[in-house]
């Protein structure tokens, strides 16, 4: 049987990028709809603030599903390989997203509507829980010496690209549809359109080969029978440190996107289209600082790069209130650019640093689990907590919450073992 030639570096990087771009596109269209659409169509029996909080609760549900996804897909990723598992994760996420676009609303089927919405959201989280770890492993395990952080940042670029695509779709719909059309059927378009993107992602991923690191694991017969058990029993300290090391990353991002959109439109009076445009400019800063952080991390080390970024997040937390409540669209733009720029600095190296913390036989499972546990503790409650804090204590309390989470991350990063710069 002929041996298939290894995929080119360009194809490998594109396969890792396109999958996370699609996954995050699916994830963000839900985040946007959870603020703008679902409170009215799926939770109409509640008063506005309560409906928004209930909608954000379904948003958080995916983060509870992500560790399960990392356990299931991580098991097969460490047992049968990265390629097949990445295909399965992409399908799980894609099917769940398309089904959301087909759901009946509360006005049509009553309480069954939010129940079905929650089920599909759980499926999104399950797929993303397996997607991210596999994409980062695919990139970093194919990286040449001295370029591991550079390769590892390509899956991370999927986050800003997915956000730009999702926000762009909602802006186009807002421009061409009136409010009635958008709420009647327009909001469904992004969810249904994701089917085409998933097909592209599948086509690319079916054309790649297994990573060299996993091939060596197969040859040496080093595969773990139960990778999850190995991570929990042999590497519990690494798992805890890896989880806490990403807390600030998740809190910052979801405060700058979901919470900022919700509070900016409901609390500060910006219209939806204007604030989405401001966020898109901020996300360009997010995309620009990811490769900058990768270059810095390859030169000075992943640990040092994340420590510097986390110190910046702490300072930004102290400036959260004066920047966000400035009363000027230009100053709010500065707020979004600084916050999302810091997000790129911390997000770029985080996949590589997690990959280096776990051995190859359990790397998919361990890194995915740490990443997704950080999502549960950091991202899933962040919009809800921030909304409660802002309503009861003001925006300054939200900044203090962010700074506190960043302090916890900084302490964890100090415990990450130093590695020589390649």
């Amino acid at each position: 049987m002929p041996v298939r030639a290894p995929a080119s570096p360009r194809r490998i990087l594109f396969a890792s990028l396109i999958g996370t771009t699609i996954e995050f596109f699916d994830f963000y269209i839900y985040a946007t709809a959870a603020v703008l659409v679902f409170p009215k169509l799926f939770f109409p029996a509640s008063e506005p603030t309560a409906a928004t909080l209930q909608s954000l609760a379904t948003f958080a549900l995916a983060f509870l599903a992500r560790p399960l996804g990392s356990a299931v897909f991580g098991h097969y990723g460490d047992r049968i390989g990265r390629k097949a598992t990445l295909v399965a994760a992409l399908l799980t996420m894609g099917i769940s997203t398309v089904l959301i676009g087909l759901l009946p609303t509360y006005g049509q089927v009553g309480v069954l509507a939010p129940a079905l919405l929650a089920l599909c959201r759980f499926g999104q989280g399950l797929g993303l829980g397996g997607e991210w770890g596999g994409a980062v492993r695919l990139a970093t395990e194919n990286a040449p010496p001295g370029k591991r952080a550079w390769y590892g940042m390509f899956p991370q670029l999927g986050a800003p690209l997915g956000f730009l695509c999702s926000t762009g779709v909602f802006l186009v719909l807002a421009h061409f549809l009136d409010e009635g059309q958008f709420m009647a059927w327009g909001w469904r378009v992004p969810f249904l359109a994701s089917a085409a993107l998933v097909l592209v992602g599948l086509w690319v991923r079916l054309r790649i080969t297994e990573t060299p690191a996993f091939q060596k694991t197969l040859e040496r017969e080093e595969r773990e029978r139960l990778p999850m058990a190995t991570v929990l029993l042999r590497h519990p300290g690494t798992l805890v440190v890896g989880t806490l090391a990403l807390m600030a990353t998740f809190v910052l991002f979801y405060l700058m996107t979901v919470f900022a959109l919700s509070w900016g439109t409901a609390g500060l009076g910006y219209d939806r289209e204007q604030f989405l445009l401001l966020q898109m400019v901020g996300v360009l800063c997010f995309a620009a600082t990811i490769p900058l952080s990768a270059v810095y991390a390859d030169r000075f080390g992943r640990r040092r790069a994340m420590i510097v970024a986390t110190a910046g997040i702490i300072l930004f937390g102290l400036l959260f209130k004066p920047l966000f409540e400035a009363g000027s669209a230009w100053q709010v733009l500065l707020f979004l650019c600084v916050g999302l720029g810091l997000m790129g600095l911390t997000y770029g190296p985080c996949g590589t640093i997690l990959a280096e913390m776990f051995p190859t036989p359990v790397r998919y499972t361990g890194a995915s689990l740490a990443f997704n546990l950080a999502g549960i503790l950091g991202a899933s409650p962040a919009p809800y907590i921030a909304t409660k804090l802002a309503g009861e204590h003001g925006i300054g309390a939200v900044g203090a919450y962010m700074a506190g989470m960043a302090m916890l991350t900084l302490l964890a990063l100090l415990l990450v073992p130093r590695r020589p710069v390649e």
Side-chain angles (χ1 to χ4, degrees), residues 239-320:
L239 180 62
V240 172
V241 170
T243 299
L244 297 179
L246 267 68
M247 286 280 287
T249 303
F250 277 101
V251 171
L252 174 64
F253 183 72
Y254 284 95
L255 291 187
M256 299 305 301
T257 53
V258 180
F259 169 74
L261 175 61
S262 177
W263 194 260
T265 53
L268 300 181
Y270 291 92
D271 65 67
R272 179 178 66 203
E273 188 171 354
Q274 179 187 20
F275 203 88
L276 287 173
L277 283 170
L278 293 175
Q279 278 192 323
M280 287 189 74
V281 176
V283 170
L284 291 176
C285 295
F286 178 19
T289 53
I290 287 178
L292 291 178
S293 70
V295 172
Y296 184 92
D298 273 332
R299 184 171 181 182
F300 298 106
R302 272 65 83 180
R303 178 178 179 270
R304 179 173 169 179
M306 289 198 66
I307 286 174
V308 170
T310 303
I313 295 170
I314 294 171
L315 178 60
F316 179 64
L318 302 178
L319 299 175
F320 198 91

Side-chain angles (χ1 to χ4, degrees), residues 247-248 251 310-311 313-314 401-411:
M247 286 280 287
V251 171
T310 303
I313 295 170
I314 294 171
Y401 164 56
M402 176 190 293
M405 293 296 100
M407 285 293 297
L408 188 60
T409 286
L410 183 60
L411 293 174

Side-chain angles (χ1 to χ4, degrees), residues 115-350:
L116 291 173
L117 179 66
L119 180 62
C120 291
R121 179 62 175 167
F122 188 87
Q124 279 193 316
L126 198 68
L128 189 56
E131 162 62 31
W132 179 87
V136 173
R137 300 298 76 72
L138 176 68
T140 57
E141 289 181 0
N142 280 286
K147 288 192 174 182
R148 190 173 295 162
W150 180 256
Y151 270 54
M153 72 89 184
F154 274 84
Q156 307 301 73
L157 280 174
L161 292 177
F163 185 90
L164 288 170
C165 291
S166 65
T167 306
V169 169
F170 276 102
L171 281 171
V172 170
L173 291 171
H175 181 76
F176 288 102
L177 301 179
D178 59 36
E179 185 70 14
Q181 292 172 320
F182 177 76
M183 297 302 291
W185 58 269
W187 69 271
R188 299 180 183 273
V189 173
F191 293 94
L192 298 176
S194 69
L197 298 176
V198 170
L199 291 176
V200 173
L202 289 174
W203 179 78
V204 172
R205 288 192 166 173
L206 288 171
R207 292 167 57 85
I208 60 174
T209 54
E210 196 51 78
T211 69
F214 187 74
Q215 289 285 13
K216 291 178 181 178
T217 298
L218 291 178
E219 293 166 4
R220 297 169 184 167
E221 298 184 350
E222 293 177 342
R223 287 180 295 175
E224 296 287 343
R225 190 171 66 87
L226 292 172
M228 176 64 73
T230 301
V231 169
L232 295 176
L233 295 176
R234 299 184 191 172
H235 308 283
T238 302
L239 180 62
V240 172
V241 170
T243 299
L244 297 179
L246 267 68
M247 286 280 287
T249 303
F250 277 101
V251 171
L252 174 64
F253 183 72
Y254 284 95
L255 291 187
M256 299 305 301
T257 53
V258 180
F259 169 74
L261 175 61
S262 177
W263 194 260
T265 53
L268 300 181
Y270 291 92
D271 65 67
R272 179 178 66 203
E273 188 171 354
Q274 179 187 20
F275 203 88
L276 287 173
L277 283 170
L278 293 175
Q279 278 192 323
M280 287 189 74
V281 176
V283 170
L284 291 176
C285 295
F286 178 19
T289 53
I290 287 178
L292 291 178
S293 70
V295 172
Y296 184 92
D298 273 332
R299 184 171 181 182
F300 298 106
R302 272 65 83 180
R303 178 178 179 270
R304 179 173 169 179
M306 289 198 66
I307 286 174
V308 170
T310 303
I313 295 170
I314 294 171
L315 178 60
F316 179 64
L318 302 178
L319 299 175
F320 198 91
K321 175 180 171 65
L323 285 176
F324 197 20
E325 287 192 334
S328 162
W330 289 106
Q331 286 179 285
V332 170
L333 178 61
L334 175 63
F335 163 79
L336 292 169
C337 288
V338 171
L340 288 165
L342 284 169
M343 176 63 199
L345 293 179
T346 185
Y347 195 61
C350 76

Side-chain angles (χ1 to χ4, degrees), residues 11-20 131 135 138-139 154-155 205:
R11 181 179 295 176
I12 289 167
L13 293 178
F14 183 65
S16 67
L17 172 63
I18 187 66
T20 52
E131 162 62 31
L138 176 68
F154 274 84
R205 288 192 166 173

